[in-house]
Amino acid sequence: MTILCVRFQPPPMDEAALPGLLGLLEDFTPVVQALPPDGALADLRGAERYFGRDAIELASVIRVRALAHHGVDCAIGAGPGPMLARVALGDARPGVTCAVPEEPDAVADFLADKPVAALPGVGAATARTLGEYGLDTLGLVAAAPLSTLQRLIGAKAGRELREKANGIDRGRVVPNGVSRSLATERPFTRDELDSDRHRRALLSAAEELGARLRALDKVCRTLTLTVRYADRSSTTRSRALKEPTAHSAALTRAAYGMYEALGLQRARVRALALRAEGLDPAEQASYQLTFDPLDEKARRIEEVADRARAKFGPRAVMPGALARGLGLSPPTAA
């Protein structure tokens, strides 16, 4: 095992704390890939040779340091590749590292009984499609004819799914940093049940992200929503945007869509966080032209509002829904 997939538990309430936790992993290896809001991948091939310990032993050291320096425990999955390490994380718990064996037969046995959705990148729609044809476990998918899978979910997706179900892990850990994303969090002063307040907090967060992206001349390709609850658990959802954007209205629509899809009923929410990921220079982004005069008007107003906020402060111009208090603690950004 050379790859660790680490999830910090409980998740840091402030996503700005994640860089410090990543620094703990970087004490062992420079090959660390952030998985916001609360995890990371670490390639320990060099560290195993340098420290004279295997990945499981190094995972124990990482766990002790996380508890000592940051007061958080770690759930850790280990495997010969990133995909297998992430699958192993699903069976891990704080204090115990779940490891995927390296032998091909043992890898196949480990994956065989797992649901298709246990694979990273397999969404609910794909799992549902395969389940309708009785392919609800990775063992069944691995044994299915390639032509069948390609007919059900497409040529490329079918080939990649069959390889992963057979334990073929072609992924690699790509060093990155949280700086490749922008995040902001809206903690409530008390656990909040009101869905209207939830939506206004999301509107506030999306407006801030949009303004920060435009100030940096950046656009984002993915938006991630994290909902933190009173019991310190959390739910995270990500959505790929139709086109890279820094338009606050588009970010708000995506945030609302993810929130509504959660179907929260009387949930005691402690904080809401939004993260803009996959940042690219704005001048390199394509923009779908529209004949909708309202959309063009909204973008022109946005430009004027940005200039006003730059001159008179961030609260100089804001949506009417945010004119009254939200019952929020001071927002945090990363």
Side-chain angles (χ1 to χ4, degrees):
M1 276 68 66
T2 58
I3 308 297
L4 297 185
C5 185
V6 182
R7 178 178 295 142
F8 301 104
Q9 296 185 340
M13 290 301 292
D14 178 0
E15 289 195 33
L18 184 57
L21 294 169
L22 295 180
L24 184 151
L25 298 176
E26 291 169 350
D27 289 340
F28 296 87
T29 173
V31 189
V32 175
Q33 178 178 343
L35 300 176
D38 57 2
L41 289 167
D43 187 335
L44 297 182
R45 278 175 292 189
E48 289 177 315
R49 294 190 296 270
Y50 183 83
F51 291 102
R53 299 185 180 185
D54 63 24
I56 305 302
E57 293 172 324
L58 291 174
S60 298
V61 178
I62 290 169
R63 181 177 291 110
V64 170
R65 291 192 180 183
L67 281 168
H69 295 291
H70 299 277
V72 299
D73 205 342
C74 304
I76 302 177
M83 182 270 291
L84 292 170
R86 294 178 74 167
V87 173
L89 179 65
D91 290 342
R93 62 183 187 277
V96 178
T97 299
C98 178
V100 180
E102 296 188 14
E103 297 76 17
D105 291 342
V107 171
D109 291 340
F110 177 83
L111 294 175
D113 294 330
K114 302 218 173 288
V116 175
L119 282 181
V122 175
T126 299
R128 184 168 55 250
T129 298
L130 293 169
E132 290 172 353
Y133 290 87
L135 301 173
D136 54 356
T137 67
L138 293 178
L140 293 173
V141 170
L146 176 59
S147 58
T148 299
L149 296 176
Q150 291 180 322
R151 187 167 61 252
L152 292 177
I153 62 174
K156 181 180 179 181
R159 182 177 64 256
E160 292 178 349
L161 177 61
R162 193 169 188 270
E163 285 185 351
K164 291 179 179 179
N166 279 284
I168 300 173
D169 190 347
R170 301 187 187 278
R172 61 189 182 94
V173 180
V174 181
N176 65 1
V178 183
S179 60
R180 288 182 60 89
S181 64
L182 292 177
T184 187
E185 187 169 73
R186 294 295 184 268
F188 293 98
T189 54
R190 61 180 182 180
D191 299 335
E192 187 57 68
L193 295 168
D194 189 344
S195 61
D196 288 338
R197 286 182 177 268
H198 297 168
R199 290 173 62 88
R200 286 162 56 205
L202 289 175
L203 173 61
S204 170
E207 286 283 326
E208 179 189 330
L209 279 185
R212 291 169 62 191
L213 286 167
R214 293 190 297 274
L216 295 170
D217 290 324
K218 298 284 188 178
V219 293
C220 70
R221 290 181 275 111
T222 303
L223 190 67
T224 297
L225 165 67
T226 300
V227 183
R228 308 193 192 282
Y229 305 105
D231 62 359
R232 298 184 68 85
S233 65
S234 64
T235 301
T236 300
R237 294 289 184 270
S238 293
R239 177 168 293 184
L241 304 174
K242 292 182 179 180
E243 62 183 17
T245 188
H247 187 28
S248 294
L251 297 175
T252 302
R253 286 194 296 270
Y256 284 171
M258 288 185 287
Y259 172 80
E260 291 165 1
L262 292 176
L264 301 180
Q265 296 182 354
R266 304 293 294 171
R268 296 171 59 204
V269 174
R270 183 158 293 179
L272 293 161
L274 285 180
R275 179 176 292 277
E277 301 176 289
L279 305 190
D280 293 316
E283 66 269 14
Q284 296 179 10
S286 59
Y287 168 53
Q288 179 63 50
L289 297 177
T290 175
F291 294 103
D292 183 0
L294 294 179
D295 182 70
E296 293 300 324
K297 182 179 179 180
R299 292 177 185 271
R300 289 197 298 270
I301 291 174
E302 195 171 66
E303 293 176 4
V304 174
D306 286 343
R307 291 197 294 269
R309 283 190 285 260
K311 184 174 183 179
F312 299 108
R315 297 182 61 83
V317 180
M318 66 178 66
L322 302 181
R324 53 196 177 97
L326 295 174
L328 296 170
S329 301
T332 57

